[in-house]
Every structure is written in structure tokens, then in C-alpha cells.
Amino acid sequence: MKQSYTIFEFLYRLLLSKETKKRAETFFVSLAIISFLLHLAIIALVDLKIILINDYSTLLSNPISAIYTPFSFILIYEVYLLVYYLPKSTTIYIGKQYEIITLIIIRRIFKDLTKLEFNSNWFASKANVNFTLDIVATIILFFLIYVFYNLNKRNEINQSKIQKTIDVNSFIRLKNVFAIVLIPIFLVLSIYSLAHWIYESFFSITQIVDTIKDINKIFFADFFTILILIEVLLLLFSFFLSDKFNKVIRNSGFIISTILIKLSFGTEGILNTILIVAAVLFGVIILAIHNKYDNLEVKSISTLES
């Protein structure tokens, strides 16, 4: 038993410690900068006809599209942060999901910039419509995430006032185990997805690729499916700690929010935007109502103490 605990502690320090988080941040930021410069260099070499790569790859046709590459690595780091915060705070973990989907949209905006058509009828072009939807969605999501974190602060204040009668250490340990298991899954998925995307986007010899391969559908759709399964398991285990109605609804609501994000990866255009905004808005509303329930409990405790 002691040996297994030692192994657990070793894996936790190796994968989820503050030092590892700092090293991961340095690594991915450095990788993002290097990849951006490398992408620009490849675009220049292709433009000068020094190297010949699949003519169908639009990622090599415009320097602006080079921004797409470093954002891919930043997103991978955000996924690591999501796993990092899973055992530490449920709401911050969910907030990281919202940050990821917002960054995906921002990255998509950089891709759409190379496809814009400037004419008198702006909305006649599908690319222009998608760009407009993404711009509006980014603003809405940015505000909703702010509201979500603001609500989380109020939630933390309420939780500090509510007496804890149940030992939550075992549940936190369980979340740590899930987070440790997610790290290798995340690494394998990210390496495979990135390699597959680079090959299909840049080096495919089939000449069938006429659009940028969507790495979101390769990696994030699968990863969010895994997150949904983890969240359902955590919801079930949470019943050992509390069967409070507002806690159950909050956790269930967060699962629904994650499912909506997952579904968005299989859609395009306005439906994609609606699903993403609806997912985040639903999570914000759920947390706001949950806080109202906690306020009632805090008032009840204050009344009893007085």
C-alpha cells in the first residue's frame, strides 16, 4: 500500500506538479515561437520555388496562415492545463474547456483571414460569413468566460463559509488518478493527431487534399469524448460525498456543456457557433443558479449561528 502511494506521489510530481506546469509552459511557448518562424520560412521557400510541396495546401499560400501553427501548440498546452486543474478545481477545469474552444475559434479566424473576399456584398461569400460568425462568437465567449470566473470567485467565498462535514481527500485523490491517466492519453493523441495533420496538410501525395485538414476533428473531438466519460464517472463518485440537489445539477450541467462542445466539432458554420456559445452560456447559467442555492445555505448557517 505504501509502495503504491509512493508511485502515485512520484507520478503526480512528474506530471501535475507546479514545476512540471512551469516546464510545460516554457516548452510549449518556445515550440510555438519556433514553429511560427519555421512555418514562415517554409512559406518563403515555397514562394521562391526552392521547395515544392502539395499545391493544394493553403497553409503554405499566405504568411498570415502561419499564425495557425503556433496556436496549435498553445492549444495543446491549454489542454494540459485543463488536465492539470481537473483535481484542483472543477469550475476552473470547466473554464479551461471554455478557454480552449475560444482559442480554437480565434485560431480559425486566422485561417479564415486568408479566404476573405472583399466586395460590395460581404455576406455573399461563405468565408466572409464564417469569419463574421467567429468574430462575434469570440466577443461573446470572452465575456461569458469572464462572467463564469467571476461567478466562480463568489462560489469559492460561499464554499469557505459552508461547513465541510465530509472528508473529500479520497475524492480529490480519485481526481488526481484520473488526471494522471489522462496525461499519457493526451500525449499519445496529440502526437498522433499533429503528425497526421501535418502529413495530410503538407505532404499528402494523393493530391486529394483541397482544404486545410481540421486538426480539431482529429484531436479535440476524441479528447472531449474522453473528458465526457471522465466527468460522468466523477459525477457518480461524487454521490459518495454529497447528494445535494444543486451540486448534482451543477455537475450534470457541466457534463451537458462539455457534450455540446464535443458536438460542435462535427458541425460547421452557424450551427457550430450556436453550439459553442450555447455550451458556454449553459455552463454560466448553471453556475449562477448553483451559487444562488449556496447563498441560501450560507444565510441559513448565519441565521443558526446568530
Side-chain angles (χ1 to χ4, degrees):
M1 183 69 180
K2 187 175 181 180
Q3 184 179 4
S4 63
Y5 182 76
T6 304
I7 294 173
F8 172 80
E9 288 296 320
F10 169 75
L11 290 174
Y12 182 85
R13 288 195 300 269
L14 179 66
L15 302 174
L16 296 169
S17 66
K18 290 183 179 180
E19 293 76 16
T20 302
K21 175 177 171 289
K22 185 63 179 177
R23 286 195 295 268
E25 178 183 357
T26 302
F27 172 76
F28 281 110
V29 171
S30 301
L31 196 59
I33 294 171
I34 293 170
S35 67
F36 177 61
L37 296 175
L38 183 61
H39 195 158
L40 284 175
I42 294 175
I43 290 175
L45 292 173
V46 170
D47 189 55
L48 294 172
K49 309 296 183 184
I50 296 176
I51 60 175
L52 299 175
I53 297 181
N54 184 4
D55 293 333
Y56 290 87
S57 179
T58 56
L59 276 176
L60 299 176
S61 62
N62 193 311
I64 295 177
S65 63
I67 304 173
Y68 192 87
T69 301
F71 259 81
S72 298
F73 291 109
I74 292 172
L75 275 168
I76 292 174
Y77 174 63
E78 283 291 326
V79 171
Y80 170 76
L81 288 181
L82 182 150
V83 178
Y84 175 83
Y85 283 109
L86 171 61
K88 295 172 176 61
S89 171
T90 300
T91 46
I92 293 180
Y93 158 77
I94 295 297
K96 286 297 174 183
Q97 290 187 24
Y98 298 160
E99 289 180 18
I100 287 171
I101 197 64
T102 304
L103 285 172
I104 287 174
I105 293 177
I106 292 175
R107 185 182 63 170
R108 195 164 64 196
I109 289 173
F110 289 123
K111 183 184 74 173
D112 292 342
L113 279 170
T114 62
K115 301 178 181 178
L116 293 180
E117 298 178 14
F118 298 94
N119 50 52
S120 57
N121 191 356
W122 175 266
F123 293 105
S125 167
K126 181 181 178 181
N128 293 359
V129 172
N130 289 336
F131 175 79
T132 304
L133 287 172
D134 288 343
I135 288 290
V136 174
T138 299
I139 295 172
I140 295 173
L141 291 172
F142 193 33
F143 176 73
L144 288 176
I145 292 171
Y146 160 76
V147 174
F148 185 84
Y149 283 131
N150 191 43
L151 288 169
N152 181 49
K153 282 189 175 182
R154 297 179 187 178
N155 177 58
E156 290 175 349
I157 294 172
N158 285 338
Q159 291 302 313
S160 65
K161 295 178 181 178
I162 297 174
Q163 295 178 352
K164 301 292 191 306
T165 58
I166 302 174
D167 183 14
V168 297
N169 288 335
S170 58
F171 186 63
I172 293 175
R173 181 178 171 82
L174 177 65
K175 292 202 292 183
N176 282 328
V177 170
F178 281 139
I180 289 172
V181 171
L182 274 174
I183 292 293
I185 294 175
F186 149 67
L187 288 174
V188 171
L189 267 178
S190 60
I191 292 171
Y192 168 78
S193 301
L194 191 61
H196 180 74
W197 172 71
I198 290 173
Y199 172 76
E200 290 291 340
S201 296
F202 298 139
F203 306 110
S204 175
I205 60 175
T206 61
Q207 300 293 314
I208 297 176
V209 181
D210 57 356
T211 58
I212 296 175
K213 290 292 182 180
D214 193 352
I215 196 172
N216 301 338
K217 294 178 182 177
I218 301 171
F219 172 72
F220 287 104
D222 293 336
F223 190 74
F224 269 82
T225 299
I226 296 171
L227 291 184
I228 291 168
L229 299 177
I230 294 293
E231 288 174 22
V232 171
L233 285 172
L234 288 175
L235 173 64
L236 296 175
F237 278 109
S238 69
F239 280 100
F240 287 115
L241 297 177
S242 174
D243 59 353
K244 288 182 180 178
F245 176 71
N246 61 316
K247 299 295 182 187
V248 174
I249 295 299
R250 185 199 68 168
N251 294 337
S252 301
F254 286 162
I255 294 174
I256 294 172
S257 181
T258 304
I259 291 173
L260 289 175
I261 293 175
K262 162 66 174 67
L263 291 175
S264 72
F265 292 118
T267 61
E268 296 179 353
I270 190 168
L271 180 57
N272 175 268
T273 304
I274 290 173
L275 282 173
I276 292 172
V277 173
V280 179
L281 179 61
F282 185 75
V284 169
I285 294 173
I286 284 292
L287 184 57
I289 298 173
H290 167 269
N291 286 358
K292 294 294 183 182
Y293 274 85
D294 275 354
N295 287 338
L296 289 176
E297 187 171 354
V298 170
K299 289 179 181 178
S300 177
I301 292 173
S302 300
T303 302
L304 290 174
E305 290 178 348
S306 60

